[in-house]
Amino acid sequence: MTNLATALVETSKEHGDRPALRLDDQVVTYERFLDAARGVAGLLRARGVEPGARVGMVFPNVPAFPIVFYGAVLAGCVVVPMNPLLKGREIEYYLDDAGISVVFAWDAAADASREAAQGRDIEVVAVGAAGPDEAQLAGTPVEEPVERDDEDTAVILYTSGTTGSPKGAELTHANLATNARVSSRTLTELGTDDVVMGCLPLFHVFGLTCGLNSAVLSGACLTLLPRFDATKALTMIGRDRVTVFEGVPTMYAGLLHVEDREQYDVSSLRSCISGGSAMPVEVLREFEETFGCVVLEGYGLSETSPVASFNHPHAERKAGSVGTPVAGMELRLVDDDGNDVTGDDPGEIAIRGEGLMKGYWGRPEATAESVPDGWFRTGDVGRRDDDGYYFIVDRKKELIIRGGYNVYPREIEEALYEHSAVAEVAVVGIRDRDLGEEVGAAVALRPGAEVGVDELRAFAKERVAAYKYPRHVWLLDELPKGPTGKILRREVQPPEDL
């Protein structure tokens, strides 16, 4: 039996009185964590939610997320985490595509979930930040994790592409358990005395595996930050004696921008982990000089659970590199025909191993296209040096990564196309020192139409999550097109004054 929740049961037996989760003054021990998760499993069973059913979750980083997550997994359900910033129209897609049975939502932002569930036979359970209350957990607790096979799906994580709709990567119990083990033992070398900074979103695979699941596996404490604020993060490091900081490059840049940053106590830090997108070397160097903690960078995707390569703690660290493959994972570089690329030539990074997803939910053709021969085609172009270290060169796909969040261009374009004045639109990434990329939209208006860029920006902001809408909008007479009339995003250039 390989139920991911077994780790919580075992850790609670050994370290039940140790802190598992913290949100400012609120501390949840492992014993309380497990009791609450068992109650969630009982709640699901009382509602007739069977093992294998999909359970939606819409939470920021508050204790309710780990409690509901492990409760659903303990009950044998498949968890579908969603960004709490999503609007109702966006949540609808997840509900329908995954065939979700019930949604747990943070009570402070449950309206979008209720809006999405209207007209569907889907219950929305509004939960406070601390987790379900006693009245909600009136059912009989489920004491032991429901039996699951290694290859049974535990989580469906939706990942943005550049064509078609977002696809749900099916991550199995074995995928997540093995990757959490590699993360806790290799990346962070976690122990029961460690305190992990929980500022990475738990609904994202980086925060879920390297933060929550790794902490649970090793009995460490995860101190939670619901919305990243650099000043608050520095305060928490000193207050909670954080030993391991995990973040995306924009978070590291944010810490550097804090006024009087040298005045904060970061002496407890022993390890800093970066992923999500490539970290600018200048940010890495300035961070290490300022805070005196080495940053180790890694690489992975939702489809790989996520960690595929890493600058291992006791090996040579190469700035700008995403390191070497971790245990249980293999990387290679291939050309468009799937042949190995050798020497210094760049190629598309292909990955296989223990963390590789089961496939895309309900999309066998997309799975076959992405994994044609057992190796997942990442869409990222990289190179490998003589020591076997990998470096990300560019992205083959047109995905925008804004502050570690994936933004799917077509989705934003479709929202802007809903405006009556818009004839053509192309959404592109614009380089940004702090965020890595910012979202930009080039718009051509219908003949005779008049509308300002501020109105278009506000129009998009009303229709998509806050991290997605284009901060930069500019008007063109016509967008660049290929011979078939297809808009060529790669040839769209932002104005020089942006």
Side-chain angles (χ1 to χ4, degrees), residues 4 35 76 86 108 162 169 177 203 271 331 375 413 419 430 444 467 471:
L4 183 66
D35 285 346
L86 294 177
T162 55
F203 57 79
S271 181
L331 274 68
W375 291 82
E413 289 166 1
H419 195 289
I430 300 173
Y467 68 90
R471 267 54 174 187

Side-chain angles (χ1 to χ4, degrees), residues 271-403:
S271 181
C272 290
I273 309 300
S274 179
S277 59
M279 175 177 273
V281 175
E282 62 270 22
V283 173
L284 183 147
R285 287 178 177 155
E286 187 180 353
F287 182 89
E288 292 183 348
E289 289 173 3
T290 303
F291 297 110
C293 188
V294 171
V295 179
L296 299 177
E297 193 169 2
Y299 170 71
L301 305 96
S302 297
E303 291 89 344
T304 58
S305 300
V307 187
S309 69
F310 193 67
N311 279 278
H312 294 66
H314 303 294
E316 178 186 2
R317 191 278 303 261
K318 296 191 179 185
S321 168
V322 294
T324 57
V326 298
M329 300 296 281
E330 298 176 77
L331 274 68
R332 59 193 273 244
L333 300 178
V334 299
D335 60 21
D336 289 341
D337 297 321
N339 300 314
D340 285 318
V341 172
T342 57
D344 296 330
D345 293 334
E348 182 175 4
I349 298 174
I351 303 174
R352 73 176 179 186
E354 295 174 341
L356 182 58
M357 67 173 180
K358 183 177 182 177
Y360 290 117
W361 170 261
R363 288 175 169 77
E365 292 180 359
T367 302
E369 181 181 349
S370 295
V371 194
D373 51 7
W375 291 82
F376 173 66
R377 302 299 196 270
T378 64
D380 291 321
V381 177
R383 63 178 179 85
R384 182 181 54 240
D385 70 11
D386 293 340
D387 298 322
Y389 282 69
Y390 284 80
F391 296 78
I392 306 298
V393 176
D394 204 347
R395 279 195 312 281
K396 197 172 180 180
K397 302 174 183 177
E398 295 170 318
L399 180 68
I400 300 168
I401 301 181
R402 180 185 185 273

Side-chain angles (χ1 to χ4, degrees), residues 65-318:
F65 186 110
I67 289 168
V68 172
F69 177 85
Y70 271 92
V73 173
L74 194 146
C77 298
V78 178
V79 179
V80 184
M82 288 173 265
N83 190 330
L85 297 177
L86 294 177
K87 303 291 176 68
R89 70 194 289 274
E90 296 170 304
I91 293 174
E92 286 178 10
Y93 174 82
Y94 294 84
L95 300 184
D96 294 339
D97 191 74
I100 288 173
S101 300
V102 60
V103 177
F104 289 85
W106 184 35
D107 59 4
D111 287 347
S113 297
R114 294 191 185 100
E115 176 190 330
Q118 283 182 356
R120 296 168 172 83
D121 187 23
I122 299 173
E123 182 182 5
V124 176
V125 181
V127 174
D133 58 32
E134 290 185 14
Q136 291 173 314
L137 300 180
T140 303
V142 175
E143 292 298 316
E144 294 300 323
V146 171
E147 279 200 32
R148 295 279 88 187
D149 291 332
D150 281 3
E151 293 308 304
D152 282 338
T153 303
V155 175
I156 298 177
L157 281 177
Y158 277 83
T159 178
S160 301
T162 55
T163 57
S165 302
K167 301 184 292 291
E170 289 189 72
L171 302 181
T172 67
H173 288 265
N175 286 155
L176 292 166
T178 55
N179 212 260
R181 190 175 303 117
V182 166
S183 178
S184 63
R185 293 178 181 175
T186 303
L187 275 65
T188 51
E189 301 175 310
L190 286 179
T192 55
D193 292 331
D194 278 306
V195 178
V196 180
M197 186 72 176
C199 57
L200 285 166
L202 297 179
F203 57 79
H204 187 277
V205 69
F206 188 4
L208 181 64
T209 294
C210 302
L212 176 59
N213 293 343
S214 295
V216 167
L217 190 65
S218 52
C221 177
L222 184 69
T223 183
L224 298 165
L225 182 57
R227 185 180 181 128
F228 185 74
D229 174 271
T231 302
K232 179 66 181 288
L234 282 177
T235 301
M236 287 171 61
I237 291 171
R239 182 195 72 190
D240 301 341
R241 306 305 294 163
V242 171
T243 58
V244 177
F245 185 94
E246 300 173 346
V248 295
T250 52
M251 293 178 177
Y252 289 94
L255 296 178
L256 287 171
H257 292 161
V258 172
E259 188 176 353
D260 297 327
R261 60 195 186 188
E262 295 88 355
Q263 305 304 314
Y264 290 86
D265 180 10
V266 297
S267 59
S268 58
L269 283 180
R270 65 168 180 80
S271 181
C272 290
I273 309 300
S274 179
S277 59
M279 175 177 273
V281 175
E282 62 270 22
V283 173
L284 183 147
R285 287 178 177 155
E286 187 180 353
F287 182 89
E288 292 183 348
E289 289 173 3
T290 303
F291 297 110
C293 188
V294 171
V295 179
L296 299 177
E297 193 169 2
Y299 170 71
L301 305 96
S302 297
E303 291 89 344
T304 58
S305 300
V307 187
S309 69
F310 193 67
N311 279 278
H312 294 66
H314 303 294
E316 178 186 2
R317 191 278 303 261
K318 296 191 179 185

Side-chain angles (χ1 to χ4, degrees), residues 46-70:
R47 282 167 165 75
V49 181
E50 299 290 332
R54 274 73 63 202
V55 173
M57 285 180 53
V58 190
F59 292 100
N61 285 13
V62 294
F65 186 110
I67 289 168
V68 172
F69 177 85
Y70 271 92

